[in-house]
Amino acid sequence: MPSLTLPECGRYISPPATNEDLEFADLAIIDLSKAHTPEGRAELYPQLRDALRTYGFVYAINHGYSQAQRDRIFDIANVPFTVVPPDEMKTYAANIEKVGYYAGFKARQFWKVDAENQVLDQIEHYGINKDVTRRPHPQALRPFLPEIDAFARHNHFNVVHPILRLLALSLELPEETLVQRHNFNGTGEACVRFMKYYRRTKEEEEKSKNVWLKGHTGTFYFTTCRYMSLNHADVGSVTILWSQPVGGLQIQAPDGRWKWVRHIENALVINTGDMMDFFSGGYYKPTIHRVVQPPEDQHNYDRLGVFFFSMPDDNVRLIPCVESPVLCKFGIQRRCPDEDAPLCAAWRKGRTTTYGRSDLKKGIEHNVEEEVIEGIVVKHYN
């Protein structure tokens, strides 16, 4: 079936990659095509394990989508922000604070980036549940729902599931252990998300020290227990970022320095989040990361992001895989007694509803601010 033609204003023209001399993170690259055989998985899982335990991020190539398919998805991702009228955006706005997930439009100036200097974010995004028919969509996006559905399924079955099998092998667990907690037809909020990062004024950049989304860690209090979260708003298990040329993503390296994530054509940038931290008993900790102003030679470009945020089914309890021989040797870092551990749905809602909405206060650590979100103490790193 031929692809539907996009309106000319919806087409995404990819900017050139930066030529600035930046300090890039030395991230490993794994070949996902090898994950189709037992021998390939045996070769890949140590690579993935070492990469995630060192930097928390890894590139994946040969994931099953061609460059043309990748480019088509970026064209579609641009439609919500360039074709949908502002009034219709409001009709399909995400009710984030009430329901606790990003389904529909999140408007610009919704999150506080620097409360003291009154700087708000300039990021729009449109979230689509893995079941694209679950909620209605703007008129301009409806013709492309079959392609978005295929994209969601590709991410879930051809990227997330192979990664989950490799993670299970790294913990010496049966391959399907984590896959069984991530069902495509299960009730949950795994989603495709399109994000548009708009250029900010010189004054906004100066006030926020060029930070667009701060890196942070947090502590979450749920009923009578305490949980630790160490990532930049990735509440799920696995996050997939489809690499694009406009820089901005930085991760905090093991030596404490911020390093840029380099663009690789048609590669995926993969990291783990809060829920994998729970499942692995602290073996796979989320890495602090942030988004900053693009390099100087890209200051005149907006940044379009395409993501797949994977989460377990809502009724999955976030407890460590105690049957793992690796975790028994490593030592399981429980966030609370297993009987008090939250379900996936409760954790997601608690972490999402007021993120970026509360006021920040000075932390004890240098260049760190803190906020409390539904009992979560979140540290923002400048």
Side-chain angles (χ1 to χ4, degrees):
M1 180 178 176
S3 298
L4 294 171
T5 302
L6 284 131
E8 196 60 35
C9 62
R11 296 296 300 274
Y12 179 66
I13 307 301
S14 186
T18 181
N19 289 315
E20 299 290 332
D21 184 17
L22 305 174
E23 187 174 12
F24 289 103
D26 185 21
L27 302 183
I29 302 174
I30 63 169
D31 184 349
L32 268 187
S33 67
K34 296 181 178 181
H36 300 309
T37 66
E39 297 78 14
R41 292 192 290 276
E43 176 187 343
L44 286 182
Y45 85 76
Q47 298 175 21
L48 180 65
R49 175 198 62 206
D50 294 346
L52 291 179
R53 283 179 55 78
T54 301
Y55 275 106
F57 280 69
V58 65
Y59 293 108
I61 59 172
N62 297 327
H63 44 72
Y65 255 38
S66 67
Q67 182 70 44
Q69 287 175 301
R70 176 264 181 206
D71 293 347
R72 172 70 176 179
I73 286 297
F74 272 78
D75 279 346
I76 295 172
N78 207 31
V79 169
F81 315 113
T82 58
V83 181
V84 178
D87 287 345
E88 194 177 7
M89 284 185 175
K90 295 176 182 178
T91 301
Y92 295 96
N95 194 348
I96 300 165
E97 294 174 313
K98 181 178 180 180
V99 300
Y101 46 79
Y102 298 108
F105 282 101
K106 183 206 79 72
R108 296 156 74 171
Q109 300 190 328
F110 182 80
W111 292 325
K112 298 175 183 178
V113 176
D114 190 315
E116 183 178 351
N117 292 306
Q118 299 182 329
V119 178
L120 301 176
D121 77 279
Q122 293 293 347
I123 303 168
E124 282 181 338
H125 57 67
Y126 188 78
I128 306 169
N129 187 272
K130 63 184 188 298
D131 176 3
V132 301
T133 65
R134 184 169 172 181
R135 300 182 183 92
H137 301 282
Q139 181 68 40
L141 206 58
R142 293 172 198 168
F144 307 106
L145 289 179
E147 292 176 82
I148 298 172
D149 174 65
F151 181 68
R153 292 175 184 273
H154 175 73
N155 280 272
H156 183 88
F157 290 110
N158 299 333
V159 182
V160 172
H161 275 191
I163 292 295
L164 293 175
R165 293 187 180 102
L166 296 176
L167 292 173
L169 287 172
S170 76
L171 298 174
E172 297 180 15
L173 293 168
E175 286 190 2
E176 301 301 303
T177 299
L178 297 172
V179 168
Q180 292 169 354
R181 303 178 187 189
H182 297 72
N183 295 291
F184 191 82
N185 294 322
T187 300
E189 291 300 331
C191 68
V192 173
R193 191 180 302 167
F194 304 141
M195 299 182 67
K196 192 72 169 282
Y197 301 72
Y198 292 91
R199 287 161 281 179
R200 303 192 309 188
T201 65
K202 182 179 180 181
E203 182 183 14
E204 287 176 319
E205 296 291 1
E206 290 173 350
K207 286 181 177 180
S208 65
K209 303 180 180 68
N210 304 117
V211 174
W212 289 12
L213 279 178
K214 296 179 181 180
H216 64 265
T217 80
T219 304
F220 179 70
Y221 297 87
F222 182 88
T223 63
T224 59
C225 337
R226 183 175 73 178
Y227 305 97
M228 297 298 298
S229 165
L230 299 172
N231 71 319
H232 170 84
D234 291 4
V235 304
S237 51
V238 176
T239 297
I240 302 167
L241 163 66
W242 287 69
S243 188
Q244 54 79 43
V246 181
L249 177 60
Q250 293 183 336
I251 65 175
Q252 193 172 53
D255 61 8
R257 292 187 298 171
W258 291 105
K259 295 189 177 182
W260 296 78
V261 174
R262 187 192 303 273
H263 169 58
I264 298 178
E265 280 294 329
N266 200 27
L268 310 177
V269 181
I270 297 174
N271 65 286
T272 56
D274 285 358
M275 295 179 188
M276 192 56 64
D277 186 21
F278 280 111
F279 291 149
S280 68
Y283 192 74
Y284 289 115
K285 296 182 183 298
T287 292
I288 301 167
H289 55 290
R290 67 181 183 182
V291 178
V292 299
Q293 184 184 29
E296 188 173 354
D297 60 356
Q298 295 182 326
H299 281 185
N300 293 325
Y301 297 106
D302 296 326
R303 186 174 184 263
L304 181 65
V306 173
F307 298 80
F308 186 80
F309 291 96
S310 177
M311 296 189 189
D313 301 347
D314 273 358
N315 62 357
V316 170
R317 193 164 295 279
L318 300 177
I319 57 176
C321 298
V322 295
E323 65 276 22
S324 164
V326 171
L327 298 189
C328 290
K329 297 174 186 176
F330 171 76
I332 296 174
Q333 299 176 12
R334 278 183 169 82
R335 307 313 177 193
C336 69
D338 289 353
E339 61 269 22
D340 294 326
L343 296 177
C344 171
W347 176 260
R348 184 192 69 247
K349 291 176 182 178
R351 287 280 275 121
T352 305
T353 48
T354 57
Y355 169 75
R357 304 286 281 172
S358 55
D359 293 330
L360 302 178
K361 65 178 182 179
K362 296 288 184 181
I364 298 175
E365 302 169 64
H366 180 62
N367 281 340
V368 172
E369 295 172 309
E370 297 179 352
E371 63 175 328
V372 178
I373 307 172
E374 293 290 324
I376 309 168
V377 178
V378 181
K379 295 180 181 179
H380 294 256
Y381 293 78
N382 291 326

